[in-house]
Amino acid sequence: MKFAAKTLQSLRVRRAAVAMLIAAVIAGSGWLAYELALQSGFGGLQRAADDRLSLLQLTLDATIERFRYLPTALAQAAPIAGIYEHPDSPQARQAANQYLKSLNDAAGSSDIYVLDHSGVALAASNYLDNNNFIGQNYAFRPYFTEAVNSVEGRYYAVGATTGKPGYFLWHSANENAQTGVGVAVVKVDLHPLQNEWKSTGALVAMLDPNGVIFLTSRPNWQYRPISHLSESQLRLLRDTRQYGRAIDDLNPLFDGERTDHGMKVVRIKEREERTSHEYVVFRRPLPKHGWTMVVLFPLRSVQQQAAVVAAAVMLAVLAALLTYLVTHQRRQIVRAKLNAHHVLEQRVTERTAELAETNSLLSAEINERIRTERDLRLAQDNLVHATKMASLGQALAGVAHEINQSLAAMTTYIAGARVLLDRDNKESALSNLKLVSAIVTRMGALTQHLKTFARKDTASRQATDITAAIRYALSLVDYRIGEQGVTLHVLVPEQPVYVIGNAVRLEQVIVNLISNALDAMRERPQRQLTIDLECGEGRASLKVRDTGRGIAREHLSSVFDPFYTTKDVGQGLGLGLSISYGIIQDMGGEISVESTLDHGTTFRIVLPLAGTLALHTAVAIQT
């Protein structure tokens, strides 16, 4: 009896030890999985923050660099020199004000104005407004006091007169001022950037050197310091009236900081909320502006993801342990009842199941890769089609003009036919109706070509007449050529020239090259576009030359890179040439560029011929 009780107690102790061991293994695996998942989550946040900060920095620099040249040009302009030489002259003031207003309207800046040696505004772009800058003294602004020792600079502040914030770009006008220092100032509105941040839902903040937030995707964070400021910092902000208000130093944004897995974590308590939230914060200094760009990610999201992973791992470990215990007990029973042959057969069966599962996983992975490749090809086709539709949109103005002209002619001929029929002159009326029929045929051909160009084609390669593609492309941009007064020279063979390619995509490339050439010559005094097609050695060579502003030699290697463009901000994304490069490569051809600044650019496309061609005879067409 005592032996049985002792055995039962020993069994209970063993079971308790096993249970404790299982609990320890599950807890340890959950803790390890949580730590690894948290570390991986932080690594993902670091990569996302780096990408986001890089994109935000590029957007900010692109926005500001549009206006960087204005203060320098403004300080050297003749109307500004005139008002500095004759500050009391009404004519000089009127000329300077009108010049600043026209320059501000053209550049799209917020305000432009010039100060005299005492800091008083002599002329301003908003001189017509009741609340203009003229006569206001801005000597308290740092951009005026720094002009004594510096040539140019930048400064962000809230306007002392308008109450609107902006980025002030200034340049010293010492050479123009008769005495003391003069300053030319351009104010740039950066709020569109802030609105873009807000629309994306990202937590972004821009800090000044004092740690005060002046641009942010959260409006209630604006003009709040992230930590307590010193008395000298508060005095400087108060004296310069940089933000037009007193900074609430008693309620800094960051309520506490700590380090978690090497990451900076801050606690933020919103004014309208009673609870605090923790964020992982990433910073990037912007030395050019003296600012610091900050992006924040909620810590809770990373912790929740890590907790989910830890729970899944703990359940998996628990299931594995339970499976192991059940299997272990079953094997003990099997060993007691079956011989070695049965045990070996069981092991072979288990191994076969593992191999089948592995094979199934490999098959699933192969299918996923095939599906991914198909989706990638579909996305590439959609991008090509979208770019083609953008080119089609540029040509619609010319098509509308052509159709309007045809409709006007049809109206005239029909009215004439009615008069002739009233006079019983049937032959003349029939002649007018034939002309109307010809016009309708021409309009039908034009719209049919637009439908063909707009359709979402495949990337199939076949024998394609490149001369027809050139004619169709010119018909789409003909109105722009005439509207810009461009002289057109076309040198193409009289007979068709067949190359290996895709007709619609080849036409799309030609439209893109011609449109780029027209954009490059828009402001040039001499506008001449030459299209030359030559054949030889089994290849067709198409050249598109313009007399535009050209491309710098150091930028030629980047012309076919995605998102590279020489156009102004808002005039294009820089995808046309990149997509054209891919289309020509898919056709087995080559595309290259040669350019000289202020002389023009030549794009050359080389494609393999589809068969034997007749002798090359060039036909010159001038417009």
Side-chain angles (χ1 to χ4, degrees), residues 600-617:
T601 303
T602 299
F603 281 92
R604 182 170 181 252
I605 297 175
V606 178
L607 291 170
L609 293 174
T612 305
L613 296 175
L615 294 176
H616 172 70
T617 304

Side-chain angles (χ1 to χ4, degrees), residues 7-74:
T7 302
L8 181 59
Q9 183 179 4
S10 175
L11 182 60
R12 290 176 178 175
V13 171
R14 182 183 301 175
R15 289 180 176 177
V18 171
M20 293 179 61
L21 179 61
I22 292 175
V25 170
I26 294 175
S29 61
W31 175 82
L32 180 61
Y34 179 82
E35 289 295 318
L36 293 176
L38 196 62
Q39 185 174 358
S40 176
F42 280 134
L45 288 185
Q46 180 70 63
R47 293 187 293 272
D50 290 339
D51 294 340
R52 183 170 294 176
L53 287 170
S54 298
L55 179 60
L56 293 174
Q57 183 179 358
L58 288 174
T59 305
L60 175 67
D61 290 341
T63 301
I64 295 176
E65 287 302 313
R66 291 177 52 199
F67 305 96
R68 185 178 61 83
Y69 72 93
L70 283 179
T72 304
L74 182 62

Side-chain angles (χ1 to χ4, degrees), residues 132-378:
N132 59 60
F133 298 160
I134 298 176
Q136 301 290 337
N137 192 312
Y138 299 102
F140 62 90
R141 287 298 197 189
Y143 58 72
F144 178 78
T145 57
E146 291 176 3
V148 176
N149 300 317
S150 302
V151 176
E152 61 181 4
R154 309 164 183 230
Y155 179 69
Y156 187 91
V158 174
T161 303
T162 63
K164 297 179 180 179
Y167 196 26
F168 296 84
L169 307 176
W170 58 268
H171 191 281
S172 174
N174 290 335
E175 298 178 357
N176 294 332
Q178 291 180 345
T179 59
V181 177
V183 183
V185 185
V186 176
K187 181 179 178 182
V188 181
D189 185 9
L190 296 183
H191 264 61
L193 286 177
Q194 184 172 263
N195 295 334
E196 290 180 7
W197 299 346
K198 184 178 178 180
S199 65
T200 61
L203 295 178
V204 185
M206 194 77 73
L207 309 179
D208 69 2
N210 295 315
V212 177
I213 299 174
F214 61 92
L215 284 177
T216 175
S217 58
R218 286 281 185 90
N220 58 342
W221 290 3
Q222 197 165 21
Y223 307 132
R224 289 182 65 183
I226 61 174
S227 59
H228 291 291
L229 303 179
S230 65
E231 184 61 31
S232 60
Q233 290 174 318
L234 290 172
R235 187 184 308 109
L236 177 63
L237 293 173
R238 182 175 57 254
D239 293 343
T240 59
R241 288 185 277 171
Q242 183 173 0
Y243 299 118
R245 65 177 71 181
I247 301 301
D248 186 8
D249 182 63
L250 299 178
N251 294 289
L253 184 64
F254 292 172
D255 194 30
E257 296 186 12
R258 64 183 179 88
T259 301
D260 192 346
H261 289 76
M263 298 292 174
K264 182 71 68 176
V265 178
V266 299
R267 185 172 62 255
I268 297 178
K269 183 177 182 180
E270 300 290 355
R271 295 174 178 174
E272 63 275 6
E273 299 179 5
R274 296 183 179 180
T275 59
S276 299
H277 302 281
E278 288 189 319
Y279 298 89
V280 185
V281 59
F282 299 90
R283 311 186 186 200
R284 175 171 293 183
L286 305 178
K288 183 189 299 184
H289 310 287
W291 303 336
T292 301
M293 185 177 291
V294 177
V295 294
L296 302 96
F297 297 90
L299 177 63
R300 180 182 301 177
S301 62
V302 183
Q303 292 174 334
Q304 290 176 345
Q305 292 177 0
V308 170
V309 172
V313 170
M314 291 173 67
L315 290 176
V317 171
L318 177 60
L321 290 175
L322 291 176
T323 303
Y324 172 77
L325 291 176
V326 172
T327 304
H328 180 69
Q329 291 179 356
R330 183 177 297 174
R331 285 179 178 177
Q332 286 181 340
I333 296 173
V334 169
R335 286 192 187 98
K337 295 181 178 180
L338 301 177
N339 54 26
H341 173 76
H342 293 158
V343 174
L344 180 60
E345 183 178 348
Q346 179 69 21
R347 291 179 179 178
V348 171
T349 302
E350 291 176 356
R351 182 59 179 168
T352 302
E354 292 177 357
L355 291 175
E357 183 179 359
T358 302
N359 184 52
S360 177
L361 292 175
L362 288 175
S363 299
E365 183 176 355
I366 292 173
N367 293 333
E368 181 65 24
R369 289 179 179 271
I370 293 174
R371 184 166 55 255
T372 301
E373 183 177 358
R374 183 174 62 251
D375 292 343
L376 177 60
R377 174 59 63 179
L378 179 60

Side-chain angles (χ1 to χ4, degrees), residues 532-554:
D532 185 9
L533 177 63
E534 297 179 349
C535 303
E537 299 180 358
R539 301 188 304 171
S541 174
L542 173 63
K543 295 181 180 179
V544 178
R545 292 193 296 269
D546 63 65
T547 57
R549 55 191 175 187
I551 304 172
R553 178 178 300 177
E554 61 270 17

Side-chain angles (χ1 to χ4, degrees), residues 549 558-559 561-569 571-575:
R549 55 191 175 187
S558 305
V559 165
D561 293 343
F563 301 107
Y564 174 83
T565 179
T566 59
K567 299 178 182 178
D568 296 334
V569 175
Q571 299 300 317
L573 294 177
L575 288 174

